[in-house]
Amino acid sequence: MRNFRGRPVLGAIFGFLFFFFVALDLLFFGIVPLKSAVITILPIVGIFVGLAWARWAPLGGRREPSDAPPAY
Amino acid sequence: MVKRVLLGFAALSLAGLFVFVDAAPAPAVVSSGCQGTGDFEKSGHHYTAADAGVDEVPLEDTVHWQGSIDTAATEQAYSGSIEVQLPWPLPAMQIDSWKGSSDSTSNKGDKHYKLPSSVPRNVEFEVTGKHTQGITCTGHVTVVVAGSAFDSPAAPASLIGTVLTGGVLALAGRVKGGGVA
């Protein structure tokens, strides 16, 4: 857990849900047929994407304050 | 940075669409020894067991159907079932089955059906069927319910779900406690 800069539990749960809804979008808009395994595989992939997203955590970080005095 | 991340997600999603699009749908196939037709009263569609491609059916209609099997016209046991194929690893869902004994080798009738309005439109369902009566006939057909995605509440609900869960997923990528990057 210490390797995660973001929120891994939130990332795993909502990665699953987000990719589940993406799979439903693909189904309901006629891009994949009902029997396609993409519908069951995508949510599983979403868990790992959510974890990777939480580990990377590219949002909300502040820059290191500079020690150098401002130049006038 | 945020712009680059969003651009990356967009590119990934677009690529995913092309990767996951399946090949052209399989045609209707019925093994030899059986014949069947269906005439849709309102939509005017006429489908046979030998049709190729996707069969488009309306949400509500009356079907004049008939079928026959090449077997001896003597009293014998029969059985059969119809299933809808679900995504792997889920098992197929049986929607009807029948069994009994008969000396008839053909049948016909009229069937009025009305599907719920929540049924998603333009989604390909693969339906498989089997009938055993002396010989065994098997077949499958790809069916779509006519209409556009937004004729059913399922598609808008799914889109809303995508946006909401995508928003919360984005929050998982925020640095905990607003730490230093």
Side-chain angles (χ1 to χ4, degrees), chain B residues 53-99:
Chain B
V54 177
D55 290 350
E56 189 180 83
V57 301
L59 200 65
E60 180 183 6
D61 209 338
T62 300
V63 188
H64 308 292
W65 60 270
Q66 59 177 8
S68 63
I69 185 167
D70 300 333
T71 187
T74 56
E75 188 75 19
Q76 54 187 325
Y78 67 84
S79 64
S81 62
I82 298 177
E83 296 175 333
V84 174
Q85 299 300 309
L86 297 179
W88 176 89
L90 302 175
M93 184 176 70
Q94 189 173 88
I95 53 176
D96 198 10
S97 65
W98 55 89
K99 63 179 179 179

Side-chain angles (χ1 to χ4, degrees), chain A residues 45-60:
Chain A
V45 171
I47 294 173
F48 295 100
V49 172
L51 287 172
W53 177 248
R55 185 185 168 96
W56 183 25
L59 306 177

Side-chain angles (χ1 to χ4, degrees), chain B:
Chain B
M1 182 62 167
V2 174
K3 252 185 187 176
R4 269 189 291 167
V5 169
L6 292 176
L7 200 65
F9 259 116
L12 194 69
S13 305
L14 198 64
L17 287 182
F18 289 104
V19 170
F20 292 130
V21 169
D22 278 10
V29 174
V30 174
S31 60
S32 60
C34 289
Q35 300 83 35
T37 61
D39 291 294
F40 286 72
E41 195 172 276
K42 287 181 190 167
S43 68
H45 286 126
H46 171 79
Y47 293 121
T48 75
D51 279 344
V54 177
D55 290 350
E56 189 180 83
V57 301
L59 200 65
E60 180 183 6
D61 209 338
T62 300
V63 188
H64 308 292
W65 60 270
Q66 59 177 8
S68 63
I69 185 167
D70 300 333
T71 187
T74 56
E75 188 75 19
Q76 54 187 325
Y78 67 84
S79 64
S81 62
I82 298 177
E83 296 175 333
V84 174
Q85 299 300 309
L86 297 179
W88 176 89
L90 302 175
M93 184 176 70
Q94 189 173 88
I95 53 176
D96 198 10
S97 65
W98 55 89
K99 63 179 179 179
S101 180
S102 175
D103 60 358
S104 173
T105 58
S106 66
N107 202 358
K108 65 179 181 179
D110 298 332
K111 173 72 176 174
H112 179 80
Y113 72 90
K114 184 178 182 182
L115 300 172
S117 62
S118 58
V119 169
R121 316 298 200 278
N122 209 25
V123 172
E124 290 178 7
F125 300 89
E126 185 168 315
V127 182
T128 60
K130 187 172 82 171
H131 182 86
T132 301
Q133 188 176 346
I135 64 169
T136 296
C137 295
T138 59
H140 63 87
V141 62
T142 304
V143 178
V144 299
V145 178
S148 74
F150 288 101
D151 290 342
S152 160
S158 177
L159 280 178
I160 291 168
T162 305
V163 172
L164 292 179
T165 55
V168 180
L169 175 61
L171 292 178
R174 282 179 65 88
V175 176
K176 277 186 274 193
V180 174

